[in-house]
Amino acid sequence: MMNYQKILVENIHSTAIATVDAEGKPVNRIIDMMLEKDGKLYFLTAKGKAFYDQLMAQAYVSIVGVKNQASISLHGNIRNIGKQYLDEIFEKNPYMKQIYPDDRREPLEVFEIYEGEGEYFDISVTPIVRESFTIGEVKASNHGYIIHDTCIGCGKCIDVCPQNCIEEGVPYRIIERHCVHCGACMQVCPQHAIEKSNV
Amino acid sequence: MMNYQKILVENIHSTAIATVDAEGKPVNRIIDMMLEKDGKLYFLTAKGKAFYDQLMAQAYVSIVGVKNQASISLHGNIRNIGKQYLDEIFEKNPYMKQIYPDDRREPLEVFEIYEGEGEYFDISVTPIVRESFTIGEVKASNHGYIIHDTCIGCGKCIDVCPQNCIEEGVPYRIIERHCVHCGACMQVCPQHAIEKSNV
């Protein structure tokens, strides 16, 4: 499997990070992924930002970046590690000196994404491709659409699948790697044999 | 002012959209901005996705896209408009046919961002530049750091500002357009004359 964390730092770099504000609304902004170490990711922000308060309150982020029509998303738990790795981040990302000159870095603190789950998703190919990955000690969760044993093999799901990613068999099987999660199969199944989980 | 909605559709196109899930956690993914009409923005998704459920539940999104180191963010209210503009969206975005062939578009529905507030933010220039804009009938909210009349003109804020965007005067004044919202000025002000709002 590819090292998606490295791609987030080296190829995408400017990612969108979502948090939730005090009113329960999502907030999105571009934050650069500054470092990758042992599969963990590092970014920084300034103490004066609402972003900082939201990070401290929920200790959780949802990230997504895009490159060449493929996206890498990642959600997981974060922790504030203060000034750790700050010098290394500035060395590897020299453009930061333009924004925060040497003697004016006091507001900055570093955050570590230490565990989470992610997905690579490419809709520029036919069929589309998705692939999951994890960071840290988390177990990958099942997600996607599943066809249960009550399937009677009528083939209605195959007729509506935009990705042609359902295989005949007993029961029929959805190839999760190519599934776009549109739900069309579940809608037409006369047996209600198709279940959605965590999509 | 630039038409930032048009830039989101024509130049950035693949934007990150954040919603909140049933557990109150942020969820981010890449969604293409398909159309712009009279300043309103349109995107689509499939009914089978968790994204669809989250859109219907909160009717609010936070979007951000990046191009050439500048970002455009936007948060606001959305509504489901069903199949309206779906044909036009497929005409203007022919790659969609690869993902959803003509006879397999049933799961798709269109959403309209009909009002909201946004910000252009460029950290690749010195000083950084930010500029707000609105969609629909919303009034722009004040945000940023403000120096109140209790300022004694000691100059401590100027010494720590990484963007050199504080002007002398009575009181001193922060040039919001160039402020990076780090909060360093507020931290050092002996008069507690600096206030943060909606940053």
Side-chain angles (χ1 to χ4, degrees), chain A residues 16 18 24 26 28 48-50 53 58 62 98-100 104 126 145 158-159 161-164 180-182 196 199, chain B residues 16 18 24 26 28 48-50 53 58 62 64 98-100 104 126 145 158-159 161-164 180-182 196 199:
Chain A
N28 224 338
K49 291 180 190 266
D53 298 336
Q58 198 172 33
S62 180
Q98 294 298 115
I99 309 166
Y100 290 97
R104 300 190 178 189
T126 305
Y145 283 83
I158 287 182
D159 293 342
C161 175
Q163 291 293 319
N164 294 311
V180 73
H181 292 173
C182 73
K196 158 181 169 175
V199 305
Chain B
N28 223 339
K49 292 179 189 265
D53 298 337
Q58 198 172 33
S62 180
V64 68
Q98 294 298 115
I99 310 166
Y100 290 97
R104 299 188 179 191
T126 304
Y145 284 83
I158 287 182
D159 292 342
C161 175
Q163 292 292 319
N164 293 313
V180 75
H181 291 174
C182 73
K196 158 182 169 175
V199 305

Side-chain angles (χ1 to χ4, degrees), chain A residues 1 14 16 25 34 45 54 61 64 66 72-73 78 84 100 103 126 129 144 157 176:
Chain A
M1 189 181 296
S14 293
K25 287 182 173 172
M34 297 293 191
T45 193
Q54 291 156 16
V61 292
V64 68
V66 65
I72 299 174
S73 60
I78 57 159
Q84 204 184 338
Y100 290 97
D103 59 339
T126 305
V129 169
C157 55
E176 164 65 10

Side-chain angles (χ1 to χ4, degrees), chain B residues 31-45:
Chain B
I31 296 289
D32 292 349
M33 286 296 120
M34 296 295 190
L35 277 185
E36 181 269 343
K37 279 177 189 287
D38 298 327
K40 291 167 184 158
L41 286 167
Y42 300 87
F43 61 92
L44 55 74
T45 193

Side-chain angles (χ1 to χ4, degrees), chain A residues 3-14 66-67:
Chain A
N3 183 334
Y4 292 115
Q5 294 94 308
K6 263 212 161 74
I7 296 174
L8 280 168
V9 173
E10 292 172 11
N11 302 110
I12 295 178
H13 198 64
S14 293
V66 65
K67 196 88 178 179

Side-chain angles (χ1 to χ4, degrees), chain A residues 165-186:
Chain A
C165 71
I166 303 179
E167 286 181 334
E168 290 184 20
V170 183
Y172 279 33
R173 196 175 76 85
I174 295 167
I175 307 164
E176 164 65 10
R177 180 175 169 79
H178 299 309
C179 174
V180 73
H181 292 173
C182 73
C185 55
M186 191 174 76

Side-chain angles (χ1 to χ4, degrees), chain B residues 90-101:
Chain B
F90 269 72
E91 261 165 52
K92 292 208 172 145
N93 302 277
Y95 65 90
M96 284 300 297
K97 281 197 173 189
Q98 294 298 115
I99 310 166
Y100 290 97

Side-chain angles (χ1 to χ4, degrees), chain B:
Chain B
M1 190 182 295
M2 311 257 279
N3 183 334
Y4 292 116
Q5 294 95 308
K6 264 214 160 76
I7 296 173
L8 281 168
V9 173
E10 291 172 10
N11 302 110
I12 296 178
H13 199 64
S14 292
T15 65
I17 300 196
T19 49
V20 173
D21 71 12
E23 292 169 21
K25 285 181 172 171
V27 191
N28 223 339
R29 78 289 285 163
I30 298 295
I31 296 289
D32 292 349
M33 286 296 120
M34 296 295 190
L35 277 185
E36 181 269 343
K37 279 177 189 287
D38 298 327
K40 291 167 184 158
L41 286 167
Y42 300 87
F43 61 92
L44 55 74
T45 193
K47 281 177 283 188
K49 292 179 189 265
F51 179 43
Y52 180 91
D53 298 337
Q54 290 156 16
L55 293 172
M56 297 304 277
Q58 198 172 33
Y60 180 95
V61 293
S62 180
I63 296 177
V64 68
V66 66
K67 197 88 181 179
N68 303 332
Q69 294 184 274
S71 72
I72 299 174
S73 60
L74 172 63
H75 57 270
N77 298 321
I78 57 158
R79 59 183 156 218
N80 180 317
I81 58 168
K83 304 286 183 195
Q84 204 184 339
Y85 302 139
L86 191 59
D87 290 343
E88 188 174 343
I89 285 172
F90 269 72
E91 261 165 52
K92 292 208 172 145
N93 302 277
Y95 65 90
M96 284 300 297
K97 281 197 173 189
Q98 294 298 115
I99 310 166
Y100 290 97
D102 282 354
D103 60 338
R104 299 188 179 191
R105 290 185 201 165
E106 172 50 30
L108 298 176
E109 291 185 356
V110 181
F111 288 82
E112 178 187 62
I113 306 170
Y114 65 94
E115 60 182 17
E117 272 193 274
E119 188 177 68
Y120 170 83
F121 188 53
D122 186 355
I123 58 164
S124 73
V125 292
T126 304
I128 65 103
V129 169
R130 60 171 82 235
E131 184 167 87
S132 295
F133 63 98
T134 58
I135 292 184
E137 300 299 309
V138 300
K139 257 186 75 178
S141 57
N142 288 323
H143 74 298
Y145 284 83
I146 294 158
I147 305 180
H148 289 291
D149 287 348
T150 47
C151 165
I152 52 168
C154 70
K156 286 203 163 70
C157 54
I158 287 182
D159 292 342
V160 296
C161 175
Q163 292 292 319
N164 293 313
C165 69
I166 303 178
E167 287 181 334
E168 292 184 19
V170 185
Y172 278 34
R173 197 175 75 86
I174 295 168
I175 307 162
E176 164 65 9
R177 181 176 168 80
H178 299 309
C179 173
V180 75
H181 291 174
C182 73
C185 55
M186 190 173 76
Q187 288 297 318
V188 298
C189 177
Q191 293 296 105
H192 306 293
I194 303 182
E195 190 192 5
K196 158 182 169 175
S197 73
N198 296 318
V199 305

